[in-house]
């Protein structure tokens, strides 16, 4: 991996908190920047806190904290037996040294944010939320074996895309068989518990009381991203009146890393039009 330029990621990111419990480790790192709204970043399944580098560098005028959560890359998936994603997210938010204005999550992390908003009971509620490529199941989508099999196939595609994004330019020149073997190795390590962690979170979205959420929320996804494919996006918008759902043909599931400039611009515009605009303007 190429060494980052001096003065950029990760040299000036500061570890601010870490808790090593008997079951899991949680940690928080702070990005450069001392003004603007406080943004807590929630990575996806098999992701990492430092996956936010491109977006944070493009999204200026905020104080960003990246959360290192139990569903990080390489985890053994024991965490699922000891709390929901929202439970773990709340524990991580307790480590952030100042009140969080914006919760920003990707994929599984976006669903953790969604669950948190729907079940928080007035605690640790941000002023705004941004969900990148969340998963949502409309009530009309029956939970059966065909749905399970389709979700498993989709999971494999997302993991393959994630491996490619992680490799960056190397993926373009790599032998396809070698790349395929890397994907197979990753899937084998994740195993069925990892997939079921995502599948159960996806299935349960229908039961969340999203109509009761009062937090302005921006949802961004690719038009061809199966996480919100078909009527899933319209169903989410109907179930959650405070959500603005936008899909774009060129956005991938990893849009924060691959369409970074466009995503950052949309987020900045959204935040500028929330009650936090005075904080952004003064930064």
């Amino acid at each position: 991996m190429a060494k980052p330029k001096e003065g950029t990621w990760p040299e000036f990111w500061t570890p601010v908190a870490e808790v090593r419990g008997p079951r899991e480790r949680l940690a928080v790192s702070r990005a450069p920047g001392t003004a603007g709204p406080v943004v807590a970043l929630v990575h996806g399944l098999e992701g990492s806190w430092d996956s936010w580098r491109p977006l944070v560098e493009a999204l200026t005028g905020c104080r960003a904290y990246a959360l290192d959560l139990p569903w990080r890359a390489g985890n053994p998936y024991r965490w699922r037996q000891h709390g929901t994603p929202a439970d773990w997210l709340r524990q991580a938010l307790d480590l952030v040294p100042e009140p969080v204005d914006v919760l920003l999550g990707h994929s599984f992390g976006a669903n953790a944010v969604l669950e948190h908003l729907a079940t928080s009971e007035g605690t640790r509620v941000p002023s705004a939320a941004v969900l990148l490529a969340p998963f949502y199941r409309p009530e009309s989508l029956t939970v059966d074996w065909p749905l399970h099999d389709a979700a498993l196939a989709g999971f494999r595609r997302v993991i393959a895309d994630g491996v490619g994004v992680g490799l960056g330019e190397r993926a373009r020149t790599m032998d396809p068989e070698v790349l395929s073997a890397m994907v197979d190795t990753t899937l084998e390590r994740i195993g069925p518990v990892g997939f079921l962690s995502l599948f159960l979170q996806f299935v349960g979205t229908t039961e969340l009381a999203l109509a009761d959420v009062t937090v302005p929320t921006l949802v961004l996804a690719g038009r061809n991203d199966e996480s919100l494919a078909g009527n899933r996006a319209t169903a989410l918008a109907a179930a959650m009146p405070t959500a603005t759902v936008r899909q774009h043909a060129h956005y991938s599931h990893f849009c924060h890393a691959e369409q970074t400039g466009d995503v950052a611009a949309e987020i900045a515009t959204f935040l500028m039009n929330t009650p936090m605009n005075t904080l952004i303007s003064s930064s």
Side-chain angles (χ1 to χ4, degrees):
M1 179 180 296
K3 186 179 185 298
K5 293 183 295 183
E6 184 176 357
T8 61
W9 185 288
E11 286 93 338
F12 286 175
W13 278 68
T14 307
V16 296
E18 181 176 8
V19 172
R20 291 182 178 271
R23 298 187 179 96
E24 281 297 341
R25 177 177 63 86
L26 297 169
V28 178
S29 295
R30 184 178 60 232
T34 58
V38 175
V39 180
L41 304 159
V42 187
H43 64 75
L45 197 74
E46 291 294 315
S48 64
W49 69 270
D50 60 359
S51 64
W52 293 106
R53 173 186 58 81
L55 186 62
V56 170
E57 290 182 351
L59 188 64
T60 58
C62 67
R63 304 195 300 280
Y65 290 86
L67 310 184
D68 186 10
L69 293 148
W71 48 85
R72 66 182 66 84
N75 84 89
Y77 288 96
R78 292 189 298 265
W79 56 269
R80 184 77 203 198
Q81 310 306 318
H82 304 288
T84 69
D87 293 333
W88 290 108
L89 173 57
R90 288 171 191 139
Q91 291 183 50
L93 289 174
D94 285 341
L95 302 178
V96 179
E98 52 187 325
V100 172
D101 299 308
V102 184
L103 271 175
L104 197 166
H106 169 248
S107 192
F108 187 86
N111 280 89
V113 173
L114 194 65
E115 180 190 0
H116 168 64
L117 296 178
T119 61
S120 61
E121 297 182 351
T123 59
R124 307 180 191 86
V125 178
S127 297
V130 179
L131 311 179
L132 304 179
F135 295 82
Y136 185 73
R137 179 180 71 88
E139 193 170 358
S140 60
L141 193 58
T142 303
V143 181
D144 53 17
W145 289 116
L147 179 65
H148 169 277
D149 295 345
L152 179 58
F155 181 71
R156 291 176 179 274
R157 287 190 289 271
V158 167
I159 293 300
D161 289 345
V163 170
V165 170
L167 289 170
E169 290 299 319
R170 287 181 293 168
R172 298 178 184 272
T173 58
M174 184 173 290
D175 185 323
E177 291 187 2
V178 173
L179 182 57
S180 179
M182 293 179 66
V183 172
D184 290 343
T185 299
T186 302
L187 288 166
E188 183 66 23
R189 180 188 55 74
I190 294 171
V193 177
F195 163 67
L196 288 174
S197 297
L198 176 61
F199 183 68
L200 292 174
Q201 195 74 1
F202 159 62
V203 168
T205 53
T206 306
E207 306 303 322
L208 296 175
L210 300 181
D212 297 334
V213 175
T214 59
V215 176
T217 302
L218 175 65
V219 180
L220 298 178
R223 196 166 294 153
N224 298 314
D225 184 356
E226 54 198 296
S227 62
L228 281 180
N231 68 335
R232 299 183 189 188
T234 54
L236 175 57
M240 189 175 180
T242 57
T244 299
V245 181
R246 296 177 184 160
Q247 293 177 290
H248 300 283
H250 68 296
Y251 276 14
S252 68
H253 187 74
F254 296 91
C255 56
H256 64 301
E258 296 189 296
Q259 293 83 41
T260 307
D262 291 343
V263 171
E266 285 203 80
I267 293 173
T269 299
F270 168 70
L271 296 182
M272 191 66 69
N273 288 291
T274 68
M276 294 176 298
N277 59 353
T278 53
L279 291 176
I280 299 174
S281 297
S282 63
S283 63

